[in-house]
């Protein structure tokens, strides 16, 4: 989630992150930013300090007071030394001083979105007879292997990380397409059907089960 009132900078950030494969939402004021951030669907907040309606530090403190542990990358102006200190004290994980290089921002984003240490976050995710390679986007079952598109991969990864747990259609939609997209429930159904076709092609015993009116979960067959 990008919370930045300078429209051109927000747009530059959005395009930069998009090119690196991230899905983003953009808010141009602090109140909307807090509202979105509290949804809990984001993996990272890129947060400006000086914002209309609610400043970034108030947003951050409110978010932390509500128990959110989402990583926060603060964007500050050069003159705002006290803001940087206050920002870290308020629960920011890191800050970048404007102007910054795109490469530097991407490195911060990569560092802050590493969910767990490498040791616990292996390249290969497994569930039942399935293996998902997070580097090559290959889905493997026994001797058979298929390549997944980016969206298929993101969806499969979410399902496998939550193997046996139900994911609602809405949470899949928000996680994979973000708030601001025009994607509808229908998109989720379409990608679920792509994945089902691939699972059947792989002769996997893992199935994507539909719970009517609730969502989807991976079921490991015997
Ligand atoms: Ca600003």
């Amino acid at each position: 989630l990008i919370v930045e009132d300078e429209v051109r900078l927000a747009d530059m950030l959005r395009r930069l992150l998009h090119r690196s494969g991230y899905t983003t939402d953009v808010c141009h004021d602090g109140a909307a930013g807090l509202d979105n951030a509290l949804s809990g669907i984001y993996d990272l907040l890129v947060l400006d300090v000086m914002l209309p309606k609610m400043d970034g530090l108030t947003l951050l403190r409110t978010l932390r007071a509500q128990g959110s542990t989402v990583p926060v990358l603060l964007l500050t102006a050069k003159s705002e030394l006290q803001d940087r200190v206050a920002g870290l004290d308020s629960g920011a994980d890191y800050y970048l001083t404007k102007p910054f290089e795109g490469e530097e921002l991407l490195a911060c984003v990569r560092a802050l979105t590493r969910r767990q240490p490498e040791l616990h976050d292996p390249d290969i995710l497994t569930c039942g007879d399935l293996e998902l390679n997070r580097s090559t986007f290959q889905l493997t079952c026994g001797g058979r292997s298929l390549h997944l598109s980016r969206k298929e991969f993101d969806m499969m990864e979410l399902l496998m990380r939550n193997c046996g747990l139900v994911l609602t259609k809405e949470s899949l939609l928000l996680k994979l397409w973000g708030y601001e997209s025009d994607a509808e429930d229908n998109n989720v159904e379409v990608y679920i059907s792509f994945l089902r076709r691939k699972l059947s092609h792989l002769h996997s015993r893992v199935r994507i089960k539909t719970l009517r009116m609730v969502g989807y979960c991976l079921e490991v067959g015997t």
Side-chain angles (χ1 to χ4, degrees):
L1 176 66
I2 300 164
V3 189
E4 169 62 69
D5 59 320
E6 287 165 53
V7 175
R8 285 178 62 184
L9 177 57
D11 200 49
M12 185 275 274
L13 290 171
R14 186 182 59 74
R15 276 183 284 127
L16 182 71
L17 289 166
H18 184 77
R19 275 203 302 273
S20 298
Y22 297 96
T23 307
T24 59
D25 285 326
V26 178
C27 294
H28 296 299
D29 70 71
L34 178 63
D35 219 41
N36 274 21
L38 284 173
S39 70
I41 65 164
Y42 297 102
D43 298 312
L44 175 73
L45 243 73
V46 179
L47 178 64
D48 184 29
V49 174
M50 302 288 281
L51 289 167
K53 297 198 185 165
M54 177 186 287
D55 70 88
L57 296 186
T58 305
L59 188 164
L60 183 53
R61 278 192 289 267
T62 311
L63 192 63
R64 292 297 186 233
Q66 301 273 328
S68 169
T69 56
V70 64
V72 173
L73 173 60
L74 211 58
L75 304 180
T76 68
K78 244 200 172 73
S79 56
E80 294 168 335
L81 170 67
Q82 276 166 345
D83 280 348
R84 297 203 288 274
V85 174
L88 294 174
D89 285 345
S90 301
D93 296 273
Y94 201 71
Y95 66 81
L96 272 182
T97 309
K98 296 179 192 175
F100 47 81
E101 295 293 326
E103 278 308 307
E104 195 183 4
L105 179 105
L106 288 175
C108 287
V109 168
R110 280 194 298 274
L112 291 173
T113 53
R114 250 171 239 142
R115 275 164 278 210
Q116 292 150 352
E118 296 287 321
L119 194 64
H120 304 292
D121 204 11
D123 268 359
I124 311 281
L125 266 179
T126 59
C127 173
D129 53 13
L130 285 178
E131 286 188 354
L132 181 65
N133 189 313
R134 301 176 63 236
S135 308
T136 63
F137 290 17
Q138 295 280 122
L139 185 64
T140 305
C141 174
R144 294 168 199 258
S145 219
L146 279 173
H147 187 264
L148 301 185
S149 71
R150 178 77 214 206
K151 275 282 185 268
E152 290 172 337
F153 170 83
D154 287 344
M155 186 173 275
M156 199 62 206
E157 188 187 24
L158 267 177
L159 287 164
M160 286 177 77
R161 281 187 184 282
N162 296 282
C163 194
L165 301 174
V166 178
L167 290 168
T168 65
K169 211 182 258 187
E170 191 187 28
S171 73
L172 284 169
L173 191 67
L174 291 176
K175 273 273 185 196
L176 298 176
W177 280 274
Y179 258 109
E180 293 202 336
S181 87
D182 298 324
E184 289 167 16
D185 286 10
N186 186 29
N187 290 45
V188 175
E189 286 160 27
V190 167
Y191 277 90
I192 290 283
S193 77
F194 289 165
L195 286 177
R196 281 193 171 129
R197 215 169 300 157
K198 295 204 163 171
L199 289 179
S200 125
H201 190 81
L202 290 171
H203 299 285
S204 172
R205 283 195 296 266
V206 175
R207 291 191 315 125
I208 303 175
K209 198 174 157 192
T210 305
L211 292 105
R212 274 184 71 82
M213 315 297 283
V214 184
Y216 303 96
C217 80
L218 279 192
E219 194 176 57
V220 181
T222 47

